[in-house]
mmCIF file with all atom_site columns, all heavy atoms in Angstrom:
data_model
loop_
_atom_site.group_PDB
_atom_site.id
_atom_site.type_symbol
_atom_site.label_atom_id
_atom_site.label_alt_id
_atom_site.label_comp_id
_atom_site.label_asym_id
_atom_site.label_entity_id
_atom_site.label_seq_id
_atom_site.pdbx_PDB_ins_code
_atom_site.Cartn_x
_atom_site.Cartn_y
_atom_site.Cartn_z
_atom_site.occupancy
_atom_site.B_iso_or_equiv
_atom_site.pdbx_formal_charge
_atom_site.auth_seq_id
_atom_site.auth_comp_id
_atom_site.auth_asym_id
_atom_site.auth_atom_id
_atom_site.pdbx_PDB_model_num
ATOM 1  N N   . TRP A 1 290 ? 12.755 12.256 -7.849  1.00 0.00 ? 309 TRP A N   1
ATOM 2  C CA  . TRP A 1 290 ? 13.929 13.117 -7.711  1.00 0.00 ? 309 TRP A CA  1
ATOM 3  C C   . TRP A 1 290 ? 14.997 12.733 -8.740  1.00 0.00 ? 309 TRP A C   1
ATOM 4  O O   . TRP A 1 290 ? 15.607 13.598 -9.373  1.00 0.00 ? 309 TRP A O   1
ATOM 5  C CB  . TRP A 1 290 ? 14.500 13.019 -6.297  1.00 0.00 ? 309 TRP A CB  1
ATOM 6  C CG  . TRP A 1 290 ? 15.740 13.835 -6.132  1.00 0.00 ? 309 TRP A CG  1
ATOM 7  C CD1 . TRP A 1 290 ? 15.843 15.194 -6.183  1.00 0.00 ? 309 TRP A CD1 1
ATOM 8  C CD2 . TRP A 1 290 ? 17.071 13.341 -5.928  1.00 0.00 ? 309 TRP A CD2 1
ATOM 9  N NE1 . TRP A 1 290 ? 17.160 15.588 -6.011  1.00 0.00 ? 309 TRP A NE1 1
ATOM 10 C CE2 . TRP A 1 290 ? 17.932 14.472 -5.853  1.00 0.00 ? 309 TRP A CE2 1
ATOM 11 C CE3 . TRP A 1 290 ? 17.617 12.072 -5.787  1.00 0.00 ? 309 TRP A CE3 1
ATOM 12 C CZ2 . TRP A 1 290 ? 19.303 14.352 -5.653  1.00 0.00 ? 309 TRP A CZ2 1
ATOM 13 C CZ3 . TRP A 1 290 ? 18.980 11.958 -5.588  1.00 0.00 ? 309 TRP A CZ3 1
ATOM 14 C CH2 . TRP A 1 290 ? 19.806 13.080 -5.520  1.00 0.00 ? 309 TRP A CH2 1
ATOM 15 N N   . LEU A 1 291 ? 15.217 11.426 -8.929  1.00 0.00 ? 310 LEU A N   1
ATOM 16 C CA  . LEU A 1 291 ? 16.165 10.995 -9.963  1.00 0.00 ? 310 LEU A CA  1
ATOM 17 C C   . LEU A 1 291 ? 15.723 11.474 -11.341 1.00 0.00 ? 310 LEU A C   1
ATOM 18 O O   . LEU A 1 291 ? 16.533 11.907 -12.161 1.00 0.00 ? 310 LEU A O   1
ATOM 19 C CB  . LEU A 1 291 ? 16.276 9.469  -9.977  1.00 0.00 ? 310 LEU A CB  1
ATOM 20 C CG  . LEU A 1 291 ? 17.037 8.783  -8.850  1.00 0.00 ? 310 LEU A CG  1
ATOM 21 C CD1 . LEU A 1 291 ? 17.035 7.277  -9.087  1.00 0.00 ? 310 LEU A CD1 1
ATOM 22 C CD2 . LEU A 1 291 ? 18.465 9.298  -8.747  1.00 0.00 ? 310 LEU A CD2 1
ATOM 23 N N   . ALA A 1 292 ? 14.418 11.377 -11.591 1.00 0.00 ? 311 ALA A N   1
ATOM 24 C CA  . ALA A 1 292 ? 13.903 11.698 -12.923 1.00 0.00 ? 311 ALA A CA  1
ATOM 25 C C   . ALA A 1 292 ? 13.955 13.191 -13.217 1.00 0.00 ? 311 ALA A C   1
ATOM 26 O O   . ALA A 1 292 ? 14.183 13.591 -14.363 1.00 0.00 ? 311 ALA A O   1
ATOM 27 C CB  . ALA A 1 292 ? 12.477 11.189 -13.063 1.00 0.00 ? 311 ALA A CB  1
ATOM 28 N N   . THR A 1 293 ? 13.738 14.030 -12.209 1.00 0.00 ? 312 THR A N   1
ATOM 29 C CA  . THR A 1 293 ? 13.550 15.461 -12.457 1.00 0.00 ? 312 THR A CA  1
ATOM 30 C C   . THR A 1 293 ? 14.621 16.349 -11.841 1.00 0.00 ? 312 THR A C   1
ATOM 31 O O   . THR A 1 293 ? 14.790 17.495 -12.271 1.00 0.00 ? 312 THR A O   1
ATOM 32 C CB  . THR A 1 293 ? 12.197 15.929 -11.895 1.00 0.00 ? 312 THR A CB  1
ATOM 33 O OG1 . THR A 1 293 ? 12.227 15.830 -10.453 1.00 0.00 ? 312 THR A OG1 1
ATOM 34 C CG2 . THR A 1 293 ? 11.057 15.080 -12.448 1.00 0.00 ? 312 THR A CG2 1
ATOM 35 N N   . GLY A 1 294 ? 15.297 15.864 -10.803 1.00 0.00 ? 313 GLY A N   1
ATOM 36 C CA  . GLY A 1 294 ? 16.234 16.712 -10.077 1.00 0.00 ? 313 GLY A CA  1
ATOM 37 C C   . GLY A 1 294 ? 15.561 17.719 -9.168  1.00 0.00 ? 313 GLY A C   1
ATOM 38 O O   . GLY A 1 294 ? 16.226 18.594 -8.600  1.00 0.00 ? 313 GLY A O   1
ATOM 39 N N   . GLU A 1 295 ? 14.224 17.622 -8.984  1.00 0.00 ? 314 GLU A N   1
ATOM 40 C CA  . GLU A 1 295 ? 13.485 18.547 -8.122  1.00 0.00 ? 314 GLU A CA  1
ATOM 41 C C   . GLU A 1 295 ? 13.856 18.305 -6.663  1.00 0.00 ? 314 GLU A C   1
ATOM 42 O O   . GLU A 1 295 ? 13.587 17.240 -6.101  1.00 0.00 ? 314 GLU A O   1
ATOM 43 C CB  . GLU A 1 295 ? 11.980 18.359 -8.308  1.00 0.00 ? 314 GLU A CB  1
ATOM 44 C CG  . GLU A 1 295 ? 11.426 18.976 -9.558  1.00 0.00 ? 314 GLU A CG  1
ATOM 45 C CD  . GLU A 1 295 ? 11.100 20.453 -9.372  1.00 0.00 ? 314 GLU A CD  1
ATOM 46 O OE1 . GLU A 1 295 ? 11.153 20.943 -8.225  1.00 0.00 ? 314 GLU A OE1 1
ATOM 47 O OE2 . GLU A 1 295 ? 10.802 21.107 -10.386 1.00 0.00 ? 314 GLU A OE2 1
ATOM 48 N N   . GLU A 1 296 ? 14.424 19.320 -6.018  1.00 0.00 ? 315 GLU A N   1
ATOM 49 C CA  . GLU A 1 296 ? 14.884 19.181 -4.648  1.00 0.00 ? 315 GLU A CA  1
ATOM 50 C C   . GLU A 1 296 ? 13.749 18.860 -3.695  1.00 0.00 ? 315 GLU A C   1
ATOM 51 O O   . GLU A 1 296 ? 13.915 18.125 -2.718  1.00 0.00 ? 315 GLU A O   1
ATOM 52 C CB  . GLU A 1 296 ? 15.589 20.470 -4.208  1.00 0.00 ? 315 GLU A CB  1
ATOM 53 C CG  . GLU A 1 296 ? 16.065 20.485 -2.763  1.00 0.00 ? 315 GLU A CG  1
ATOM 54 C CD  . GLU A 1 296 ? 17.103 19.399 -2.464  1.00 0.00 ? 315 GLU A CD  1
ATOM 55 O OE1 . GLU A 1 296 ? 17.739 18.907 -3.408  1.00 0.00 ? 315 GLU A OE1 1
ATOM 56 O OE2 . GLU A 1 296 ? 17.252 19.052 -1.273  1.00 0.00 ? 315 GLU A OE2 1
ATOM 57 N N   . ARG A 1 297 ? 12.533 19.386 -3.967  1.00 0.00 ? 316 ARG A N   1
ATOM 58 C CA  . ARG A 1 297 ? 11.411 19.122 -3.067  1.00 0.00 ? 316 ARG A CA  1
ATOM 59 C C   . ARG A 1 297 ? 11.086 17.631 -3.014  1.00 0.00 ? 316 ARG A C   1
ATOM 60 O O   . ARG A 1 297 ? 10.631 17.133 -1.980  1.00 0.00 ? 316 ARG A O   1
ATOM 61 C CB  . ARG A 1 297 ? 10.183 19.910 -3.501  1.00 0.00 ? 316 ARG A CB  1
ATOM 62 C CG  . ARG A 1 297 ? 9.543  19.423 -4.801  1.00 0.00 ? 316 ARG A CG  1
ATOM 63 C CD  . ARG A 1 297 ? 8.199  20.066 -5.048  1.00 0.00 ? 316 ARG A CD  1
ATOM 64 N NE  . ARG A 1 297 ? 8.325  21.443 -5.501  1.00 0.00 ? 316 ARG A NE  1
ATOM 65 C CZ  . ARG A 1 297 ? 7.272  22.249 -5.644  1.00 0.00 ? 316 ARG A CZ  1
ATOM 66 N NH1 . ARG A 1 297 ? 6.060  21.829 -5.359  1.00 0.00 ? 316 ARG A NH1 1
ATOM 67 N NH2 . ARG A 1 297 ? 7.443  23.485 -6.094  1.00 0.00 ? 316 ARG A NH2 1
ATOM 68 N N   . PHE A 1 298 ? 11.315 16.913 -4.117  1.00 0.00 ? 317 PHE A N   1
ATOM 69 C CA  . PHE A 1 298 ? 11.038 15.477 -4.119  1.00 0.00 ? 317 PHE A CA  1
ATOM 70 C C   . PHE A 1 298 ? 12.059 14.731 -3.258  1.00 0.00 ? 317 PHE A C   1
ATOM 71 O O   . PHE A 1 298 ? 11.702 13.803 -2.522  1.00 0.00 ? 317 PHE A O   1
ATOM 72 C CB  . PHE A 1 298 ? 11.034 14.937 -5.542  1.00 0.00 ? 317 PHE A CB  1
ATOM 73 C CG  . PHE A 1 298 ? 9.956  15.520 -6.425  1.00 0.00 ? 317 PHE A CG  1
ATOM 74 C CD1 . PHE A 1 298 ? 10.099 15.536 -7.807  1.00 0.00 ? 317 PHE A CD1 1
ATOM 75 C CD2 . PHE A 1 298 ? 8.802  16.062 -5.881  1.00 0.00 ? 317 PHE A CD2 1
ATOM 76 C CE1 . PHE A 1 298 ? 9.111  16.076 -8.625  1.00 0.00 ? 317 PHE A CE1 1
ATOM 77 C CE2 . PHE A 1 298 ? 7.801  16.608 -6.690  1.00 0.00 ? 317 PHE A CE2 1
ATOM 78 C CZ  . PHE A 1 298 ? 7.965  16.615 -8.060  1.00 0.00 ? 317 PHE A CZ  1
#
Side-chain angles (χ1 to χ4, degrees):
W309 177 66
L310 286 181
T312 67
E314 283 275 351
E315 177 62 21
R316 70 169 76 187
F317 297 156

